[in-house]
Amino acid sequence: MGCTQSTTDRRSLSQNEIDERIDSIKETCNSTCGVVSLRYAYLSQRGYYPNAKRRPNEDSYIVTQKFAGRESDAFFGVFDGHGKEGEKCSQYVRDTLSSLLAKDIGEVRVINGRVAPNISKDLIEIPEKQLETVIEESHKECNRRMHASKRVDDSVSGTTSISVYLHGNLRKITVNNVGDSRAVMGSVATPEQQEAAATASSSLIASPLSCDHTPWRRDERERIKKKGGRILSWGQLFDKPPTKMFGKSPVVKDEKGELELWETCDRQKVLGEVIDETGDPPRVWCRDRDFPGAAFTRSFGDEVAERKAGLFAEPEILIRELTPQDKIIFLASDGVFEVSVSSLAN
């Protein structure tokens, strides 16, 4: 797993100061979950902001073995906070989502066990459609609880979330995504894939396990608009000239006339293979305010933007069987992928 907030300016910090900003496991941990043998590690580095040197690390992570009362299962997650209370939001979701999900899964297993009383409780599994419903409701309930919590003010703060639920006995994973953090799988490349790859320096091929929730996606743009939000870049909103800070996307022409490039593309099909070089991506704004300017379309928290611009915490879920060729699962916040496409993560 990886969490990051900004590129550290090594010219301004000593090595000791850099090391003090890093929270990581000292050595890779070996574990067995059912029929899956795995090693895991984690690292989170507090970003360096010259004008806010005491700014906390807004990212957090979780590793939970024996998840939902089952020795064979595990849960991994990365949470990328934003806003004034971003640190508290990411920590709240880190602590609450996994416990809610474990409780809900346990309750469903008990209910399913009543239908098949002769089956051991350790063998009771949840059908995929039912599991998706449980996961979706757990995410929504976590969001509702954070809205109501007095421990954190999530009115204009929130967090994204990417998590993987490992079903060790089934050799499956369930990937749950809210926002623009990302999960990537590294699998052994076939000879044909190695030959077709741009570089043969790695024997692994990266493939996305999640799809970023950003206005680059046509389906997300349309959903936001239906909820009353607007999609505009900074340059469009403030009518700034093209610069590195307020770059404008190239204009293309179609039957509707001139449109910004992002209005005609669907990044869902090329996820992880394109880096925004303009520095001015499309963002989400309320209809009647120049707020929040979010580069993502889903998140936990962000209560005002949820009501006025269509942000919400409903996850996209992928259930996938693991194969002997699958070697690495990489979870990271968007900061990692702002400077690297998914294929470079391996």
Side-chain angles (χ1 to χ4, degrees), residues 44-93:
S44 180
Q45 180 171 325
R46 180 163 62 94
Y48 175 61
Y49 302 88
N51 296 325
K53 294 184 178 181
R54 295 184 181 276
R55 183 169 173 175
N57 187 350
E58 295 172 331
D59 297 345
S60 59
Y61 58 86
I62 190 169
V63 175
T64 304
Q65 295 186 271
K66 301 179 182 178
F67 184 65
R70 187 160 288 187
E71 294 271 349
S72 60
D73 292 358
F75 184 83
F76 306 88
V78 168
F79 311 93
D80 181 6
H82 53 265
K84 184 178 180 180
E85 300 261 310
E87 177 192 23
K88 293 181 180 179
C89 288
S90 72
Q91 292 174 359
Y92 184 95
V93 175

CSV table of all heavy atoms in Angstrom, one decimal, residues 44-93:
chain,number,residue,atom,x,y,z
A,44,SER,N,3.5,5.6,4.5
A,44,SER,CA,2.8,6.8,4.4
A,44,SER,C,3.7,8.0,4.7
A,44,SER,O,4.4,7.9,5.8
A,44,SER,CB,1.5,6.9,5.3
A,44,SER,OG,0.9,8.1,5.2
A,45,GLN,N,3.8,8.9,3.9
A,45,GLN,CA,4.8,10.1,4.1
A,45,GLN,C,4.0,11.4,4.1
A,45,GLN,O,3.3,11.7,3.2
A,45,GLN,CB,5.8,10.1,3.0
A,45,GLN,CG,6.8,11.3,3.2
A,45,GLN,CD,8.0,11.2,2.2
A,45,GLN,OE1,8.4,10.1,1.9
A,45,GLN,NE2,8.4,12.3,1.8
A,46,ARG,N,4.2,12.1,5.3
A,46,ARG,CA,3.5,13.4,5.4
A,46,ARG,C,4.1,14.4,4.4
A,46,ARG,O,5.3,14.5,4.3
A,46,ARG,CB,3.7,13.9,6.8
A,46,ARG,CG,3.1,15.2,7.1
A,46,ARG,CD,3.0,15.5,8.6
A,46,ARG,NE,4.3,15.5,9.3
A,46,ARG,CZ,5.0,16.6,9.5
A,46,ARG,NH1,4.5,17.8,9.1
A,46,ARG,NH2,6.1,16.6,10.1
A,47,GLY,N,3.3,15.1,3.7
A,47,GLY,CA,3.7,16.0,2.7
A,47,GLY,C,4.4,17.2,3.2
A,47,GLY,O,4.3,17.5,4.4
A,48,TYR,N,5.2,17.8,2.4
A,48,TYR,CA,6.0,19.0,2.8
A,48,TYR,C,5.3,20.2,2.2
A,48,TYR,O,5.3,20.4,0.9
A,48,TYR,CB,7.4,18.9,2.4
A,48,TYR,CG,8.2,20.2,2.7
A,48,TYR,CD1,8.4,20.6,4.0
A,48,TYR,CD2,8.8,20.9,1.7
A,48,TYR,CE1,9.1,21.8,4.3
A,48,TYR,CE2,9.6,22.0,2.0
A,48,TYR,CZ,9.7,22.5,3.3
A,48,TYR,OH,10.4,23.6,3.5
A,49,TYR,N,4.9,21.2,3.0
A,49,TYR,CA,4.2,22.4,2.6
A,49,TYR,C,5.0,23.6,3.2
A,49,TYR,O,4.9,23.8,4.4
A,49,TYR,CB,2.8,22.5,3.0
A,49,TYR,CG,2.0,21.3,2.4
A,49,TYR,CD1,1.9,20.1,3.2
A,49,TYR,CD2,1.3,21.4,1.2
A,49,TYR,CE1,1.1,19.1,2.7
A,49,TYR,CE2,0.6,20.3,0.7
A,49,TYR,CZ,0.5,19.2,1.5
A,49,TYR,OH,-0.2,18.1,1.0
A,50,PRO,N,5.8,24.3,2.4
A,50,PRO,CA,6.7,25.3,3.0
A,50,PRO,C,5.9,26.4,3.8
A,50,PRO,O,6.4,26.9,4.7
A,50,PRO,CB,7.3,26.0,1.7
A,50,PRO,CG,7.3,24.9,0.7
A,50,PRO,CD,6.0,24.1,1.0
A,51,ASN,N,4.7,26.7,3.4
A,51,ASN,CA,3.9,27.7,4.1
A,51,ASN,C,3.0,27.1,5.2
A,51,ASN,O,2.3,27.8,5.9
A,51,ASN,CB,3.0,28.4,3.1
A,51,ASN,CG,3.8,29.2,2.1
A,51,ASN,OD1,4.9,29.7,2.4
A,51,ASN,ND2,3.3,29.2,0.8
A,52,ALA,N,3.1,25.8,5.4
A,52,ALA,CA,2.3,25.1,6.4
A,52,ALA,C,3.1,23.9,6.9
A,52,ALA,O,2.7,22.8,6.7
A,52,ALA,CB,0.9,24.7,5.9
A,53,LYS,N,4.2,24.2,7.5
A,53,LYS,CA,5.1,23.1,7.9
A,53,LYS,C,4.6,22.1,8.9
A,53,LYS,O,5.1,21.0,9.0
A,53,LYS,CB,6.5,23.7,8.3
A,53,LYS,CG,7.2,24.4,7.2
A,53,LYS,CD,8.6,24.9,7.7
A,53,LYS,CE,9.3,25.6,6.5
A,53,LYS,NZ,10.6,26.1,6.9
A,54,ARG,N,3.6,22.5,9.7
A,54,ARG,CA,3.0,21.7,10.7
A,54,ARG,C,1.8,21.0,10.2
A,54,ARG,O,1.1,20.3,11.0
A,54,ARG,CB,2.7,22.5,12.0
A,54,ARG,CG,4.0,23.0,12.6
A,54,ARG,CD,3.7,23.7,13.9
A,54,ARG,NE,4.8,24.3,14.6
A,54,ARG,CZ,5.7,23.6,15.4
A,54,ARG,NH1,5.4,22.3,15.6
A,54,ARG,NH2,6.7,24.1,15.9
A,55,ARG,N,1.5,21.1,8.9
A,55,ARG,CA,0.3,20.5,8.4
A,55,ARG,C,0.3,19.0,8.6
A,55,ARG,O,1.3,18.3,8.3
A,55,ARG,CB,0.2,20.8,6.9
A,55,ARG,CG,-1.1,20.2,6.2
A,55,ARG,CD,-1.3,20.8,4.9
A,55,ARG,NE,-2.3,20.2,4.1
A,55,ARG,CZ,-2.8,20.6,2.9
A,55,ARG,NH1,-2.2,21.6,2.3
A,55,ARG,NH2,-3.7,20.0,2.3
A,56,PRO,N,-0.7,18.4,9.1
A,56,PRO,CA,-0.7,16.9,9.5
A,56,PRO,C,-0.8,16.0,8.2
A,56,PRO,O,-1.2,16.5,7.1
A,56,PRO,CB,-1.9,16.7,10.4
A,56,PRO,CG,-2.9,17.8,9.9
A,56,PRO,CD,-2.0,19.0,9.5
A,57,ASN,N,-0.5,14.8,8.4
A,57,ASN,CA,-0.7,13.8,7.3
A,57,ASN,C,-2.2,13.5,7.3
A,57,ASN,O,-2.8,13.0,8.2
A,57,ASN,CB,0.1,12.5,7.7
A,57,ASN,CG,0.1,11.6,6.5
A,57,ASN,OD1,-0.6,11.7,5.5
A,57,ASN,ND2,1.0,10.5,6.6
A,58,GLU,N,-2.8,13.8,6.1
A,58,GLU,CA,-4.2,13.6,6.0
A,58,GLU,C,-4.5,12.2,5.5
A,58,GLU,O,-5.7,11.9,5.3
A,58,GLU,CB,-4.8,14.7,5.0
A,58,GLU,CG,-4.7,16.1,5.6
A,58,GLU,CD,-5.0,17.1,4.6
A,58,GLU,OE1,-4.8,16.9,3.3
A,58,GLU,OE2,-5.5,18.2,5.0
A,59,ASP,N,-3.5,11.4,5.1
A,59,ASP,CA,-3.7,10.1,4.7
A,59,ASP,C,-3.7,9.1,5.8
A,59,ASP,O,-3.0,9.3,6.8
A,59,ASP,CB,-2.7,9.7,3.6
A,59,ASP,CG,-2.7,10.5,2.4
A,59,ASP,OD1,-3.7,11.2,2.2
A,59,ASP,OD2,-1.7,10.5,1.6
A,60,SER,N,-4.4,8.0,5.7
A,60,SER,CA,-4.3,6.9,6.7
A,60,SER,C,-4.5,5.6,6.0
A,60,SER,O,-4.9,5.5,4.8
A,60,SER,CB,-5.3,7.1,7.8
A,60,SER,OG,-6.6,7.1,7.3
A,61,TYR,N,-4.3,4.5,6.7
A,61,TYR,CA,-4.4,3.2,6.1
A,61,TYR,C,-4.8,2.2,7.2
A,61,TYR,O,-4.7,2.5,8.4
A,61,TYR,CB,-3.0,2.8,5.5
A,61,TYR,CG,-1.9,2.8,6.5
A,61,TYR,CD1,-1.6,1.6,7.3
A,61,TYR,CD2,-1.1,3.9,6.7
A,61,TYR,CE1,-0.6,1.7,8.2
A,61,TYR,CE2,0.0,3.9,7.6
A,61,TYR,CZ,0.2,2.8,8.4
A,61,TYR,OH,1.2,2.8,9.3
A,62,ILE,N,-5.2,1.0,6.8
A,62,ILE,CA,-5.5,0.0,7.7
A,62,ILE,C,-5.2,-1.4,7.2
A,62,ILE,O,-5.2,-1.6,6.0
A,62,ILE,CB,-7.1,0.0,8.0
A,62,ILE,CG1,-7.4,-0.9,9.2
A,62,ILE,CG2,-7.9,-0.3,6.8
A,62,ILE,CD1,-8.8,-0.7,9.7
A,63,VAL,N,-4.7,-2.3,8.0
A,63,VAL,CA,-4.4,-3.7,7.7
A,63,VAL,C,-5.1,-4.5,8.8
A,63,VAL,O,-4.8,-4.3,10.0
A,63,VAL,CB,-2.9,-4.0,7.7
A,63,VAL,CG1,-2.7,-5.5,7.5
A,63,VAL,CG2,-2.2,-3.2,6.6
A,64,THR,N,-6.1,-5.3,8.5
A,64,THR,CA,-6.8,-6.1,9.5
A,64,THR,C,-6.8,-7.5,9.0
A,64,THR,O,-7.4,-7.9,8.0
A,64,THR,CB,-8.3,-5.6,9.6
A,64,THR,OG1,-8.3,-4.2,10.0
A,64,THR,CG2,-9.0,-6.4,10.7
A,65,GLN,N,-6.2,-8.4,9.8
A,65,GLN,CA,-6.3,-9.8,9.6
A,65,GLN,C,-7.4,-10.4,10.4
A,65,GLN,O,-7.9,-9.8,11.3
A,65,GLN,CB,-4.9,-10.5,9.9
A,65,GLN,CG,-3.8,-10.0,8.9
A,65,GLN,CD,-2.5,-10.7,9.1
A,65,GLN,OE1,-1.7,-10.4,9.9
A,65,GLN,NE2,-2.3,-11.8,8.4
A,66,LYS,N,-7.7,-11.7,10.1
A,66,LYS,CA,-8.9,-12.3,10.8
A,66,LYS,C,-10.1,-11.5,10.7
A,66,LYS,O,-10.8,-11.2,11.7
A,66,LYS,CB,-8.5,-12.6,12.3
A,66,LYS,CG,-7.3,-13.5,12.4
A,66,LYS,CD,-7.0,-13.8,13.9
A,66,LYS,CE,-5.7,-14.6,14.1
A,66,LYS,NZ,-5.4,-14.9,15.5
A,67,PHE,N,-10.3,-10.9,9.5
A,67,PHE,CA,-11.4,-10.0,9.3
A,67,PHE,C,-12.8,-10.6,9.4
A,67,PHE,O,-13.0,-11.7,8.9
A,67,PHE,CB,-11.2,-9.3,7.9
A,67,PHE,CG,-12.2,-8.2,7.7
A,67,PHE,CD1,-12.2,-7.0,8.4
A,67,PHE,CD2,-13.2,-8.4,6.6
A,67,PHE,CE1,-13.1,-6.0,8.2
A,67,PHE,CE2,-14.1,-7.3,6.4
A,67,PHE,CZ,-14.1,-6.2,7.2
A,68,ALA,N,-13.7,-9.9,10.0
A,68,ALA,CA,-15.1,-10.4,10.2
A,68,ALA,C,-15.1,-11.7,10.9
A,68,ALA,O,-16.0,-12.6,10.6
A,68,ALA,CB,-15.8,-10.4,8.9
A,69,GLY,N,-14.2,-12.0,11.8
A,69,GLY,CA,-14.2,-13.2,12.6
A,69,GLY,C,-13.7,-14.4,11.8
A,69,GLY,O,-14.0,-15.5,12.3
A,70,ARG,N,-13.1,-14.2,10.7
A,70,ARG,CA,-12.7,-15.4,9.9
A,70,ARG,C,-11.2,-15.4,9.7
A,70,ARG,O,-10.6,-14.4,9.2
A,70,ARG,CB,-13.4,-15.4,8.6
A,70,ARG,CG,-13.1,-16.7,7.8
A,70,ARG,CD,-14.2,-16.9,6.7
A,70,ARG,NE,-15.5,-17.3,7.3
A,70,ARG,CZ,-16.5,-17.7,6.6
A,70,ARG,NH1,-16.5,-17.7,5.3
A,70,ARG,NH2,-17.6,-18.0,7.2
A,71,GLU,N,-10.5,-16.5,10.2
A,71,GLU,CA,-9.0,-16.5,10.1
A,71,GLU,C,-8.5,-16.4,8.7
A,71,GLU,O,-7.4,-15.9,8.4
A,71,GLU,CB,-8.6,-17.9,10.6
A,71,GLU,CG,-8.8,-18.1,12.1
A,71,GLU,CD,-7.7,-17.7,12.9
A,71,GLU,OE1,-6.6,-17.4,12.4
A,71,GLU,OE2,-7.8,-17.6,14.2
A,72,SER,N,-9.3,-16.8,7.7
A,72,SER,CA,-8.8,-16.8,6.3
A,72,SER,C,-9.0,-15.4,5.6
A,72,SER,O,-8.5,-15.3,4.5
A,72,SER,CB,-9.6,-17.8,5.5
A,72,SER,OG,-11.0,-17.5,5.5
A,73,ASP,N,-9.6,-14.5,6.2
A,73,ASP,CA,-9.9,-13.2,5.5
A,73,ASP,C,-9.1,-12.0,6.1
A,73,ASP,O,-8.6,-12.1,7.2
A,73,ASP,CB,-11.4,-12.9,5.7
A,73,ASP,CG,-12.3,-13.9,4.9
A,73,ASP,OD1,-11.8,-14.8,4.3
A,73,ASP,OD2,-13.5,-13.7,5.0
A,74,ALA,N,-9.0,-11.0,5.3
A,74,ALA,CA,-8.2,-9.8,5.6
A,74,ALA,C,-8.8,-8.6,4.9
A,74,ALA,O,-9.5,-8.7,3.9
A,74,ALA,CB,-6.7,-10.0,5.3
A,75,PHE,N,-8.5,-7.4,5.5
A,75,PHE,CA,-9.0,-6.2,4.9
A,75,PHE,C,-7.9,-5.2,4.9
A,75,PHE,O,-7.2,-5.0,5.9
A,75,PHE,CB,-10.1,-5.7,5.8
A,75,PHE,CG,-10.8,-4.4,5.3
A,75,PHE,CD1,-11.8,-4.5,4.3
A,75,PHE,CD2,-10.5,-3.2,5.7
A,75,PHE,CE1,-12.4,-3.4,3.8
A,75,PHE,CE2,-11.1,-2.0,5.3
A,75,PHE,CZ,-12.1,-2.1,4.3
A,76,PHE,N,-7.7,-4.5,3.7
A,76,PHE,CA,-6.6,-3.5,3.6
A,76,PHE,C,-7.3,-2.3,3.0
A,76,PHE,O,-8.2,-2.3,2.1
A,76,PHE,CB,-5.6,-4.0,2.6
A,76,PHE,CG,-5.0,-5.4,2.9
A,76,PHE,CD1,-5.5,-6.5,2.5
A,76,PHE,CD2,-3.8,-5.4,3.7
A,76,PHE,CE1,-5.0,-7.8,2.9
A,76,PHE,CE2,-3.2,-6.6,4.0
A,76,PHE,CZ,-3.8,-7.8,3.6
A,77,GLY,N,-6.9,-1.1,3.4
A,77,GLY,CA,-7.5,0.1,2.9
A,77,GLY,C,-6.5,1.3,3.0
A,77,GLY,O,-5.6,1.4,3.9
A,78,VAL,N,-6.7,2.3,2.1
A,78,VAL,CA,-6.0,3.5,2.1
A,78,VAL,C,-7.1,4.7,2.0
A,78,VAL,O,-8.0,4.6,1.2
A,78,VAL,CB,-5.1,3.6,0.8
A,78,VAL,CG1,-4.5,5.1,0.7
A,78,VAL,CG2,-3.9,2.7,1.0
A,79,PHE,N,-6.9,5.7,2.8
A,79,PHE,CA,-7.9,6.8,2.9
A,79,PHE,C,-7.2,8.1,2.8
A,79,PHE,O,-6.2,8.4,3.5
A,79,PHE,CB,-8.6,6.7,4.2
A,79,PHE,CG,-9.1,5.3,4.5
A,79,PHE,CD1,-8.3,4.4,5.3
A,79,PHE,CD2,-10.3,4.8,4.0
A,79,PHE,CE1,-8.8,3.1,5.5
A,79,PHE,CE2,-10.8,3.5,4.2
A,79,PHE,CZ,-10.0,2.7,5.0
A,80,ASP,N,-7.6,8.9,1.8
A,80,ASP,CA,-6.9,10.2,1.5
A,80,ASP,C,-7.8,11.3,1.8
A,80,ASP,O,-8.7,11.7,1.1
A,80,ASP,CB,-6.6,10.1,0.0
A,80,ASP,CG,-5.9,11.4,-0.5
A,80,ASP,OD1,-5.5,12.2,0.4
A,80,ASP,OD2,-5.6,11.6,-1.7
A,81,GLY,N,-7.5,12.0,3.0
A,81,GLY,CA,-8.3,13.1,3.5
A,81,GLY,C,-8.0,14.4,2.8
A,81,GLY,O,-7.0,14.6,2.1
A,82,HIS,N,-9.0,15.3,2.8
A,82,HIS,CA,-8.8,16.6,2.2
A,82,HIS,C,-9.7,17.6,3.0
A,82,HIS,O,-10.6,17.2,3.7
A,82,HIS,CB,-9.3,16.6,0.8
A,82,HIS,CG,-10.7,16.0,0.6
A,82,HIS,ND1,-10.9,14.7,0.2
A,82,HIS,CD2,-11.9,16.6,0.7
A,82,HIS,CE1,-12.2,14.5,0.1
A,82,HIS,NE2,-12.8,15.6,0.4
A,83,GLY,N,-9.3,18.9,2.9
A,83,GLY,CA,-10.0,19.9,3.7
A,83,GLY,C,-9.4,20.1,5.0
A,83,GLY,O,-8.5,19.4,5.5
A,84,LYS,N,-10.0,21.1,5.8
A,84,LYS,CA,-9.4,21.5,7.1
A,84,LYS,C,-9.4,20.3,8.0
A,84,LYS,O,-8.5,20.2,8.9
A,84,LYS,CB,-10.3,22.7,7.6
A,84,LYS,CG,-9.7,23.2,8.9
A,84,LYS,CD,-10.6,24.4,9.4
A,84,LYS,CE,-10.1,24.9,10.7
A,84,LYS,NZ,-10.9,26.1,11.2
A,85,GLU,N,-10.5,19.5,8.0
A,85,GLU,CA,-10.6,18.3,8.9
A,85,GLU,C,-10.2,17.0,8.2
A,85,GLU,O,-10.7,15.9,8.6
A,85,GLU,CB,-12.0,18.2,9.4
A,85,GLU,CG,-12.4,19.5,10.2
A,85,GLU,CD,-12.2,19.3,11.7
A,85,GLU,OE1,-12.7,18.3,12.3
A,85,GLU,OE2,-11.7,20.2,12.3
A,86,GLY,N,-9.4,17.1,7.1
A,86,GLY,CA,-9.1,15.9,6.3
A,86,GLY,C,-8.5,14.8,7.1
A,86,GLY,O,-8.8,13.6,6.9
A,87,GLU,N,-7.6,15.2,8.0
A,87,GLU,CA,-6.9,14.1,8.8
A,87,GLU,C,-7.9,13.4,9.7
A,87,GLU,O,-7.9,12.1,9.7
A,87,GLU,CB,-5.9,14.8,9.7
A,87,GLU,CG,-5.2,13.8,10.7
A,87,GLU,CD,-4.4,14.6,11.8
A,87,GLU,OE1,-4.7,15.7,12.1
A,87,GLU,OE2,-3.5,13.9,12.3
A,88,LYS,N,-8.8,14.1,10.3
A,88,LYS,CA,-9.9,13.5,11.1
A,88,LYS,C,-10.8,12.6,10.3
A,88,LYS,O,-11.3,11.6,10.7
A,88,LYS,CB,-10.6,14.5,11.9
A,88,LYS,CG,-9.8,15.3,13.0
A,88,LYS,CD,-10.6,16.3,13.7
A,88,LYS,CE,-9.8,17.0,14.8
A,88,LYS,NZ,-10.6,18.0,15.5
A,89,CYS,N,-11.2,13.1,9.1
A,89,CYS,CA,-12.1,12.4,8.2
A,89,CYS,C,-11.5,11.1,7.8
A,89,CYS,O,-12.2,10.0,7.9
A,89,CYS,CB,-12.4,13.2,7.0
A,89,CYS,SG,-13.5,14.6,7.3
A,90,SER,N,-10.2,11.1,7.4
A,90,SER,CA,-9.6,9.8,6.9
A,90,SER,C,-9.5,8.8,8.1
A,90,SER,O,-9.7,7.6,7.9
A,90,SER,CB,-8.3,10.1,6.3
A,90,SER,OG,-7.3,10.4,7.2
A,91,GLN,N,-9.2,9.3,9.2
A,91,GLN,CA,-9.0,8.4,10.4
A,91,GLN,C,-10.4,7.9,10.9
A,91,GLN,O,-10.5,6.7,11.3
A,91,GLN,CB,-8.3,9.2,11.5
A,91,GLN,CG,-6.9,9.5,11.2
A,91,GLN,CD,-6.2,10.3,12.3
A,91,GLN,OE1,-6.8,10.7,13.3
A,91,GLN,NE2,-4.9,10.6,12.1
A,92,TYR,N,-11.4,8.8,10.8
A,92,TYR,CA,-12.8,8.3,11.1
A,92,TYR,C,-13.2,7.2,10.2
A,92,TYR,O,-13.7,6.1,10.7
A,92,TYR,CB,-13.7,9.5,11.1
A,92,TYR,CG,-15.1,9.1,11.5
A,92,TYR,CD1,-15.5,9.3,12.9
A,92,TYR,CD2,-16.1,8.5,10.7
A,92,TYR,CE1,-16.8,9.0,13.3
A,92,TYR,CE2,-17.3,8.1,11.1
A,92,TYR,CZ,-17.7,8.4,12.4
A,92,TYR,OH,-18.9,8.0,12.9
A,93,VAL,N,-13.0,7.3,8.9
A,93,VAL,CA,-13.5,6.3,8.0
A,93,VAL,C,-12.6,5.1,8.1
A,93,VAL,O,-13.1,3.9,8.1
A,93,VAL,CB,-13.4,6.8,6.5
A,93,VAL,CG1,-13.8,5.7,5.5
A,93,VAL,CG2,-14.4,8.0,6.4
